[in-house]
Amino acid sequence: MTQERPAGARGWSAARKGVRSRLRLTSLRLRLVVVFGLVALTAAVSASGIAYWLNREAVLTRAQDAVLGDFEQEMRNRAGSLPEHPTQDELQHTAGQMANSSQRFGVLLVAEDSTGKTVYGSAGEPAGFSLADVPASLRTAVDRKQKVTGANKSAYHLYWQRISVDDTPYLVAGSRVIGGGPTGYMLKSLEPEAKDIDSLAWSLGIATALALIGSALLAQALATTVLKPVHRLGTAARRLGEGKLDTRLRVSGTDELADLSRTFNNAAESLEKRVEDMAAREASSRRFVADMSHELRTPLTAITAVTEVLEEELDADGGTIDPMIEPAVRLVVSETRRLNDLVENLMEVTRFDAGTARLVLDDVDVADQITACVDARAWLDAVELQAPRGIHARLDPRRLDVILANLIGNALKHGGSPVRVSVRAAEDAVVIAVRDHGPGIPEDVLPHVFDRFYKASASRPRSEGSGLGLSIALANAHIHGGEITAGNSPDGGAEFTLRLPRDASELAERDAEDPRGGRGAKDAKGQG
């Protein structure tokens, strides 16, 4: 037992399908969103990177300048007031005073006492600041004495360097007292500034993510705005392709999409007018052929009656027909029959073209139907029938008879006897093959055998047939939902294969509901 899915589930499924169709890799909407996102991401990352670099340098430079300025001032005021050979206690006391400055950095003072011994004074944070914490390159630069010139006023200068100890950034600097005295080193933790910079990086990262999300939403909105007219245009084009030629687009604005919509409307209007003109001409042509065929039937009926009398006179033993005019009379009789067939075929073709042909179905035994067709036309001696009884189908017997008569008659006329007719049952179908023993159909003629009034040779403009037989046979096959194919048998001769459904009831009901019908009119061309 099947269960109906809830309406909500169907709606959710449809919504998911809509999302997938909008976000498929080839979707223009997705490409627009991706392009917008990449542009926004590039701009946001570039702006954030530049802002991070500028702010980082500004924060570090500001902190560094403040510390170095304070250290340089302390060296000048406090360390500069020490004697040239201070004692250990003097160095320690001065280092403590320098460490208590506004910047709160660690201080290390190095000097020689009066005995030539190196003494140290250390104070401030971090505790335990020693000469080993100072990079060798910095100590070398601090101890290097430079030549005093007009451009260089001092023999010793302040040098600094940024280092990292246990992932903590520090600023280390050193300088000597000019004129003799201790060498001072300073160590300042930059961890507060690093935290500020990290906070700035996080802020910029969040801003970049928000910018990316905002750009994606904006891109989605813009894509919807841009693609909505495109979607409407696609829908209109599909409707136009389905034959709804009155489809038009509402045009607003002066942009390129509005111009495209106007062009579509103009093209649709032009197409509708051309189709209406063509339909009118086609209807006029069909009416003309139908009217002409109908009007011809009245005089043809009288002519046929006369020719039948003339034919009886020709066949009678004591006929009164002058032997001199007997050939002419026989020609009139045969041409009258040919004209009768042509008028009937024209009327049948007109019904197919007008879409008024309908199926009248019945259950038939295919073998019996073929036998009846052959027997009614006295072809029993010229046809080899390989049709097992018991193959039943629900078809239109009259139209099946027309198909068989045209195929077998065409084979007898162009290929000669015997004509072999075989029947086999396929899955949901009946296959009937009609093969002659003639020269076959030339390859350049095969594509045209079902064309109306087609002549295989221009030197043979006349034919005993109407030139519509195979066209009508194909149309009758199509109205059943079947098909006819033409080809050449490997054993020689032409072979036509008719394939019909076992039950054409569904097509008959569909054509009955369709006021136009006309399945048999498609590609209904013929040779006959």
Side-chain angles (χ1 to χ4, degrees), residues 397-409:
R398 184 185 71 82
R399 296 192 182 278
L400 178 58
D401 182 78
V402 171
I403 297 173
L404 294 172
N406 277 291
L407 294 181
I408 298 173

Side-chain angles (χ1 to χ4, degrees), residues 122-402:
S122 177
E125 295 293 336
F129 178 34
S130 66
L131 199 59
D133 297 323
V134 181
S137 58
L138 181 63
R139 295 199 303 266
T140 302
V142 170
D143 292 337
R144 183 185 302 118
K145 185 177 182 179
Q146 300 182 18
K147 185 178 181 181
V148 178
T149 62
N152 184 27
K153 304 295 185 181
S154 302
Y156 299 98
H157 294 273
L158 174 67
Y159 294 93
W160 61 270
Q161 187 175 340
R162 292 175 191 164
I163 62 174
S164 180
V165 179
D166 297 331
D167 296 327
T168 302
Y170 286 93
L171 176 67
V172 60
S175 179
R176 291 191 67 167
V177 176
I178 300 172
T183 301
Y185 295 99
M186 176 273 301
L187 184 64
K188 172 68 174 177
S189 174
L190 298 177
E191 188 173 5
E193 287 75 14
K195 290 181 178 179
D196 292 342
I197 293 172
D198 289 342
S199 298
L200 175 63
W202 274 104
S203 300
L204 293 175
I206 293 172
T208 301
L210 292 176
L212 183 60
I213 295 172
S215 66
L217 296 176
L218 179 61
Q220 174 70 12
L222 291 176
T224 301
T225 303
V226 172
L227 294 180
K228 187 178 292 184
V230 177
H231 177 71
R232 286 201 300 264
L233 182 62
T235 303
R238 282 192 296 273
R239 290 172 56 85
L240 196 66
E242 293 169 356
K244 300 174 183 177
L245 302 180
D246 58 342
T247 302
R248 297 293 185 273
L249 290 171
R250 187 177 72 253
V251 181
S252 60
T254 57
D255 56 8
E256 290 80 358
L257 289 174
D259 291 340
L260 181 60
S261 299
R262 292 190 187 93
T263 302
F264 175 86
N265 288 343
N266 294 335
E269 184 177 357
S270 176
L271 179 62
E272 183 181 20
K273 186 176 183 305
R274 286 178 178 273
V275 170
E276 288 176 351
D277 293 342
M278 291 175 63
R281 287 196 295 269
E282 183 183 0
S284 176
S285 300
R286 285 200 303 266
R287 283 196 302 272
F288 171 75
V289 173
D291 293 345
M292 181 189 67
S293 301
H294 186 270
E295 293 298 325
L296 283 175
R297 296 187 76 177
T298 302
L300 269 177
T301 302
I303 295 172
T304 301
V306 173
T307 56
E308 288 176 352
V309 173
L310 291 176
E311 189 174 19
E312 291 176 358
E313 286 292 326
L314 288 173
D315 295 337
D317 293 336
T320 59
I321 301 297
D322 189 338
M324 295 294 293
I325 64 172
E326 181 178 341
V329 174
R330 293 191 181 278
L331 178 62
V332 170
V333 171
S334 65
E335 291 300 312
T336 300
R337 287 176 179 164
R338 182 170 177 269
L339 184 58
N340 241 327
D341 291 341
L342 177 60
V343 171
E344 290 297 328
N345 287 337
L346 282 174
M347 293 188 70
E348 184 73 3
V349 168
T350 302
R351 282 191 286 271
F352 280 120
D353 287 347
T356 58
R358 293 290 182 269
L359 291 173
V360 180
L361 301 180
D362 195 4
D363 292 323
V364 299
D365 187 301
V366 178
D368 290 345
Q369 188 70 25
I370 298 175
T371 302
C373 172
V374 173
D375 186 37
R377 292 162 179 82
W379 290 341
L380 286 175
D381 295 336
V383 175
E384 296 178 359
L385 183 58
Q386 298 177 348
R389 297 176 61 84
I391 300 178
H392 292 272
R394 185 164 181 78
L395 304 168
D396 188 327
R398 184 185 71 82
R399 296 192 182 278
L400 178 58
D401 182 78
V402 171

Side-chain angles (χ1 to χ4, degrees), residues 407 410-411 414-415 434-451 454-457 470 484-490 492-497 527-528:
L407 294 181
N410 185 75
H414 295 286
V434 179
R435 177 193 161 201
D436 61 40
H437 290 80
I441 305 173
E443 292 296 329
D444 59 329
V445 175
L446 272 175
H448 306 285
V449 293
F450 295 104
D451 291 355
Y454 178 76
K455 304 295 181 181
S457 173
L470 289 181
I484 303 177
T485 57
N488 291 310
S489 173
E495 184 173 21
F496 287 81
T497 303
Q527 173 189 0

Side-chain angles (χ1 to χ4, degrees), residues 59-73 101-103 105 171 186 188 193:
V59 169
L60 292 177
T61 301
R62 184 170 58 251
Q64 177 180 292
D65 289 347
V67 172
L68 293 178
D70 195 19
F71 174 68
E72 189 174 20
Q73 184 177 0
S101 69
S102 59
Q103 294 299 322
F105 44 70
L171 176 67
M186 176 273 301
K188 172 68 174 177
E193 287 75 14

